[in-house]
Amino acid sequence: MICTCSIVPTKVLRRFARDKRLSAKARRAFADAIKYEKQWRKLRAVHTELSAASSRLERGAPLAAPEIAVFNCKQGTTLPGIAVRAPGNDATSKRAFAETAAVAAFYAQLFGRNSVDDAGKTLMSSVHFSVRYNNAFWNGTQMVYGDGDGDIFVDFTKASDVIGHELTHGVTQFSAQLEYSDEPGGLNESVSDVFGSMFRQWRRGETVDKADWLIGKEIIGRGAKARGFECLRDMSNPAAKHCLAPQPTHFSEYRSGMDPHESSGIPNLAFYNAAVAIGGYSWQKAGKIWYEALTGFGPQPNMKMKAFAQKTRKVAKLLFPRDASASTAVDRAWKAVGL
Amino acid sequence: MTVLHVERLGGLPGVGNPRSRLRSCGEISLSDLSQADRAAVEELFRNPPRAAPVLRDAFRYRISRDGASGAETVEVPETAVPTPVAACVKDTFI
């Protein structure tokens, strides 16, 4: 939640405390206000957290981590498949359990979100879907992962960013509810790449300058690697030749009707620009700004890229009022891609 | 003998997009399909279904055929495509 409380800035309080036109009593009151401001801010933060927790309790939503359920399609296409009680030696099922739980922890710890719906929804995944299936998808209820054909792609659960990407489609479904065509579609895909990549960086403890910003690096098969492909997409350079799916890098290249997986390159590059300019870990500031812009304004199914860019600019100022460099970075990041 | 020209599009890898380095195409003769699958294909052309509004990263299939009134093309979600038709495509690098 953004705190929109308005308070008198410290420098104004200080000016009043020194203003000899005011009575001594009034000046002392302003001086005291400065002294207690720090404590008051801490109290306000605690109060905000308590209010959020209390609101969840009132809604009857569980506060515990969401349950993780994994199903095995055994190369069939009937969903969800057979429930996996214990993964045993199946590395794919093990990864689906572990990485899905990690995505839930990522959203809970960094953004205070309880599952994709923020109400503790069980996170369901089906693995070994179809035969040599080169895809992973979100069907509105659960994640589905193919094993890959072994040449172009390998097992789609091998890439933590892919798991983060699919689960973020759930987050979007329960927040901004972005449509899946034209500009809202490109934004929908982009936020999945943004949080998928952020999740991978968080898992690896990487700062923005150490991260490779590649999407799907771990699912690229031998045949694709032999041809020089390293990833599906590259957020730092969406048009790069090592991508299996190169993308536009500037809004001037956007065309109506573009597939969301193509147009998402534009906002992907904006996020990369912002995160790198801000520095540190992507989830500390840039991630929080993007998360609030996605989830803090209710359903925005037809939101265009320019509107989303404006929201991030506004949120940057609200979340980090004392750090002008964050809002400047966000502003420049979008301008660099023509938005 | 009617031949279906099939192209698989989209998905997480964005197959078949103008800049994509992956294309997924194939052909299958109607005579190679069971009666039930032929009827399902006929229904796709007569009444092409739309994807579920919450489906994300799923494939779409573009299916073309030469009919009595010329070439016809439909674009339908993966879930609506009979298995042998969906399976006739092959992913290739371009």
Side-chain angles (χ1 to χ4, degrees):
Chain A
M1 292 287 282
I2 302 170
C3 180
T4 54
C5 316
S6 76
I7 54 158
V8 183
T10 312
K11 63 180 179 184
V12 176
L13 292 173
R14 210 167 277 137
R15 200 169 67 227
F16 285 147
R18 286 198 218 105
D19 191 340
K20 295 211 168 132
R21 286 170 298 181
L22 299 173
S23 69
K25 194 177 169 189
R27 276 186 279 144
R28 199 176 312 118
F30 283 117
D32 286 346
I34 297 166
K35 204 160 51 181
Y36 294 120
E37 202 223 24
K38 243 184 195 170
Q39 282 88 336
W40 178 80
R41 277 182 185 280
K42 275 185 196 160
L43 273 174
R44 190 180 61 174
V46 170
H47 175 75
T48 306
E49 279 179 27
L50 282 173
S51 299
S54 152
S55 142
R56 280 184 188 159
L57 284 172
E58 279 166 18
R59 294 197 322 246
L63 290 172
E67 277 187 40
I68 312 294
V70 176
F71 297 81
N72 190 339
C73 291
K74 299 196 169 184
Q75 275 75 46
T77 55
T78 303
L79 291 174
I82 298 160
V84 177
R85 305 284 172 213
N89 293 326
D90 182 19
T92 304
S93 298
K94 278 184 192 169
R95 270 193 301 272
F97 271 113
E99 293 303 313
T100 305
V103 175
F106 164 80
Y107 271 110
Q109 289 172 30
L110 302 180
F111 306 106
R113 189 174 191 87
N114 187 7
S115 187
V116 292
D117 61 350
D118 202 17
K121 178 179 164 58
T122 296
L123 297 172
M124 277 174 63
S125 306
S126 292
V127 298
H128 301 307
F129 178 80
S130 193
V131 179
R132 296 162 56 86
Y133 191 69
N134 278 341
N135 200 17
F137 62 92
W138 165 259
N139 77 351
T141 306
Q142 65 161 100
M143 287 75 67
V144 182
Y145 302 99
D147 293 330
D149 62 1
D151 180 43
I152 301 174
F153 294 112
V154 295
D155 187 339
F156 277 66
T157 62
K158 285 193 170 176
S160 59
D161 51 353
V162 167
I163 293 177
H165 176 109
E166 296 310 332
L167 274 158
T168 302
H169 277 309
V171 173
T172 302
Q173 180 179 316
F174 287 102
S175 54
Q177 298 177 17
L178 291 162
E179 291 288 351
Y180 208 51
S181 58
D182 297 319
E183 289 189 49
L187 279 174
N188 194 324
E189 266 305 305
S190 175
V191 291
S192 273
D193 275 354
V194 162
F195 287 94
S197 177
M198 204 188 303
F199 168 64
R200 180 167 171 259
Q201 292 171 28
W202 180 71
R203 285 291 265 169
R204 296 151 68 113
E206 288 174 340
T207 51
V208 292
D209 53 331
K210 294 278 181 255
D212 61 20
W213 295 92
L214 303 180
I215 300 291
K217 185 182 177 186
E218 287 81 14
I219 57 167
I220 300 299
R222 234 176 293 165
K225 281 180 187 166
R227 287 167 177 81
F229 298 113
E230 291 178 53
C231 59
L232 285 177
R233 298 181 278 277
D234 182 344
M235 292 181 69
S236 70
N237 181 8
K241 284 186 177 167
H242 62 204
C243 301
L244 274 167
Q247 301 173 293
T249 57
H250 195 273
F251 192 65
S252 59
E253 298 169 77
Y254 174 79
R255 299 287 176 271
S256 178
M258 228 175 211
D259 186 279
H261 299 86
E262 192 172 9
S263 59
S264 58
I266 302 160
N268 274 4
L269 183 56
F271 180 80
Y272 165 80
N273 289 339
V276 167
I278 292 169
Y281 294 105
S282 60
W283 55 88
Q284 286 176 321
K285 286 188 178 173
K288 287 201 164 43
I289 294 165
W290 254 246
Y291 179 78
E292 193 59 39
L294 176 71
T295 63
F297 295 85
Q300 314 268 319
N302 299 309
M303 182 159 53
K304 294 196 168 186
M305 292 190 188
K306 194 174 176 184
F308 185 77
Q310 282 305 100
K311 279 190 169 56
T312 60
R313 287 179 170 109
K314 185 178 166 186
V315 168
K317 285 182 183 159
L318 285 167
L319 285 183
F320 304 105
R322 287 160 186 238
D323 181 2
S325 65
S327 57
T328 303
V330 169
D331 181 48
R332 286 183 180 159
W334 285 110
K335 280 182 179 154
V337 299
L339 286 161
Chain B
M1 184 194 305
T2 303
V3 173
L4 300 175
H5 305 277
V6 185
E7 183 171 11
R8 184 160 68 177
L9 301 164
L12 179 70
V15 179
N17 285 339
R19 297 166 209 242
S20 174
R21 307 301 308 278
L22 286 177
R23 191 126 296 170
S24 189
C25 297
E27 288 183 350
I28 190 165
S29 171
L30 271 184
S31 60
D32 291 338
L33 299 179
S34 69
Q35 204 171 347
D37 286 340
R38 279 202 297 270
V41 168
E42 193 54 44
E43 185 58 22
L44 290 182
F45 280 95
R46 204 172 22 233
N47 191 16
R50 299 184 67 168
V54 288
L55 202 55
R56 302 291 180 252
D57 293 325
F59 286 129
R60 309 182 310 281
Y61 278 75
R62 187 180 289 150
I63 306 173
S64 305
R65 70 177 180 185
D66 290 322
S69 52
E72 296 174 278
T73 300
V74 287
E75 203 169 298
V76 294
E78 178 178 21
T79 47
V81 181
T83 304
V85 178
C88 82
V89 298
K90 185 173 167 36
D91 291 338
T92 50
F93 295 104
I94 50 169

